[in-house]
Amino acid sequence: MCISFLITINVLNAQECLNVDYKLRGYFYVGTSLRDTMALGGHYQDSNGPKKVIPRIDTISTPGKFQIVVKSDSLIGFSDKVQGFKVFIINKSQSTVQLPAQDSRLYLTRQVFHKNKWQDIEYLPNSWCGNSYHSVFIKPNEFWDLQAPCLNGKVNTKFRFKLNADNGIAKNPNDITNYYSNEFYGSFNPSQLEKEEGHVPQGIMDPYDN
């Protein structure tokens, strides 16, 4: 156990926060507790499904609420070379929550507080294929266990995550449902407010070009 612990520490020490000059593409993929019977079908289905709430999640969530909880002090490896932290989507409400998705990717992006307003520094690519669009579901007393990369840049500020729960379906601005995480601190580069990471389609079965 001691050897395993030391290996984990060494791996985390070898990883670094991302220092980039562009908006990151969305990276939160989830599975679902219920099948979307209205979807066309044929979309990518992720295996990271909701889990039953455990005591550790109980201590960081609020009874009766659906919420996004960021634990920026809970360090993990986002990838081989990039350090990350935990993000939890927790449903402690009494209802099953339905959320829009593209090929299992949630409409969940990071925002930065810069020049006295919240601004996006991540974006969601758009699929040209109608089969990509569907809903995912999370039942009461379930949670998604997610991870995000930490960022490093020239400007110190605060961040939050925004979850769009209607994907622009609401025609009245007052009906738009967005959920926001707790705020946390870090740094970023101002160029992340403008330029997008971009994407080159990986074959005819890849419906994304941004």
Side-chain angles (χ1 to χ4, degrees), residues 10-23:
N10 287 335
V11 169
L12 287 175
N13 286 339
Q15 295 170 332
E16 297 181 351
C17 294
L18 278 177
N19 191 328
V20 296
D21 62 355
Y22 51 78
K23 291 183 178 181

Side-chain angles (χ1 to χ4, degrees), residues 28-37 39 43-46 48-50 66 89 96-107 132-139 142 144 163-165:
F28 289 111
Y29 292 89
V30 299
T32 182
S33 283
L34 298 172
R35 178 173 169 266
D36 183 1
T37 58
H43 56 268
Y44 166 70
Q45 299 181 49
D46 198 81
N48 183 25
F66 175 80
I89 298 179
T96 296
V97 175
Q98 177 180 356
L99 297 169
Q102 284 187 55
D103 290 305
S104 293
R105 177 167 26 203
L106 291 174
Y107 289 75
S132 296
Y133 297 86
H134 63 103
S135 293
V136 291
F137 300 83
I138 181 170
K139 295 179 180 178
E142 290 185 336
W144 277 305
L163 175 63
N164 186 327

Side-chain angles (χ1 to χ4, degrees), residues 12-206:
L12 287 175
N13 286 339
Q15 295 170 332
E16 297 181 351
C17 294
L18 278 177
N19 191 328
V20 296
D21 62 355
Y22 51 78
K23 291 183 178 181
L24 294 175
R25 299 173 85 233
Y27 44 81
F28 289 111
Y29 292 89
V30 299
T32 182
S33 283
L34 298 172
R35 178 173 169 266
D36 183 1
T37 58
M38 302 299 292
L40 295 176
H43 56 268
Y44 166 70
Q45 299 181 49
D46 198 81
S47 60
N48 183 25
K51 305 171 184 176
K52 289 293 183 183
V53 167
I54 56 178
R56 179 169 63 93
I57 299 301
D58 250 337
T59 62
I60 62 172
S61 57
T62 304
K65 286 191 174 183
F66 175 80
Q67 59 189 143
I68 308 162
V69 177
V70 174
K71 295 292 291 180
S72 57
D73 57 347
S74 182
L75 300 180
I76 55 166
F78 180 76
S79 65
D80 289 344
K81 297 182 179 180
V82 179
Q83 192 174 99
F85 54 87
K86 287 287 190 178
V87 178
F88 301 102
I89 298 179
I90 309 167
N91 186 11
K92 294 295 292 294
S93 75
Q94 300 300 309
S95 303
T96 296
V97 175
Q98 177 180 356
L99 297 169
Q102 284 187 55
D103 290 305
S104 293
R105 177 167 26 203
L106 291 174
Y107 289 75
L108 178 60
T109 52
R110 188 178 334 208
Q111 295 186 313
V112 60
F113 193 73
H114 184 61
K115 294 187 176 180
N116 295 316
K117 62 180 180 180
W118 287 102
Q119 303 182 60
D120 294 330
I121 56 169
E122 294 176 349
Y123 74 101
L124 293 165
N126 294 310
S127 170
W128 50 257
C129 178
N131 290 358
S132 296
Y133 297 86
H134 63 103
S135 293
V136 291
F137 300 83
I138 181 170
K139 295 179 180 178
N141 291 312
E142 290 185 336
F143 74 101
W144 277 305
D145 186 344
L146 306 170
Q147 55 194 42
C150 64
L151 299 178
N152 187 28
K154 299 176 182 178
V155 180
N156 294 316
T157 187
K158 58 184 177 181
F159 300 94
R160 70 181 183 185
F161 284 98
K162 171 187 172 182
L163 175 63
N164 186 327
D166 65 17
N167 185 25
I169 295 174
K171 295 181 180 179
N172 186 335
N174 294 326
D175 294 334
I176 294 176
T177 302
N178 292 321
Y179 295 97
Y180 298 94
S181 75
N182 54 298
E183 298 173 3
F184 57 103
Y185 289 87
S187 60
F188 82 110
N189 294 312
S191 54
Q192 290 177 261
L193 295 167
E194 304 294 338
K195 180 182 176 183
E196 292 185 350
E197 179 178 0
H199 172 73
V200 177
Q202 304 298 302
I204 60 174
M205 298 302 291
D206 183 351

Side-chain angles (χ1 to χ4, degrees), residues 1-13:
M1 183 176 294
C2 292
I3 294 176
S4 175
F5 176 75
L6 289 174
I7 291 174
T8 300
I9 292 297
N10 287 335
V11 169
L12 287 175
N13 286 339

